[in-house]
Amino acid sequence: MLTPDNIATLDQRARQVGAAIGWQLRFTVAPNPAYVGLVASDETIGDEIIILGPSRITDLAVHEIDLTLDALERGERHIIHDEDGDPRLI
């Protein structure tokens, strides 16, 4: 399981990357704390949408989210609005 400090650090990183790429990103822990994910929103949608996960922590989900944040920062991956206007990771 993740500690509150781990969660805060991952969430802060997600928010920083999101600000740099023009999206509101947040690291989230599901109601079942064995699962985590990355959610996104922007000014055009009211709700946060899961763009990565929820995945089990034991399946290296945190590492996958960290790598995804790196790729978003470098411009290797992007978040777009899908046909319904929801954010989608590509």
Side-chain angles (χ1 to χ4, degrees):
M1 295 298 164
L2 296 173
T3 68
D5 286 341
N6 295 136
I7 294 167
T9 299
L10 290 162
D11 187 48
Q12 180 179 356
R13 173 130 194 276
R15 290 173 189 270
Q16 289 171 340
V17 170
I21 64 170
W23 284 88
Q24 296 168 359
L25 298 180
R26 189 170 64 82
F27 176 81
T28 188
V29 178
N32 177 342
Y35 291 85
V36 296
L38 186 64
V39 295
S41 65
D42 69 7
E43 67 280 347
T44 65
I45 58 175
D47 297 326
E48 294 179 318
I49 305 294
I50 296 173
I51 59 168
L52 186 61
S55 302
R56 290 183 62 84
I57 291 173
T58 56
D59 293 338
L60 299 176
V62 171
H63 183 67
E64 180 181 356
I65 290 170
D66 203 35
L67 291 175
T68 299
L69 290 171
D70 288 343
L72 286 166
E73 260 184 328
R74 291 189 303 264
E76 296 168 358
R77 296 200 71 182
H78 304 280
I79 301 171
I80 61 165
H81 287 101
D82 68 10
E83 63 277 355
D84 296 321
D86 295 331
R88 186 179 79 171
L89 181 65
I90 58 168

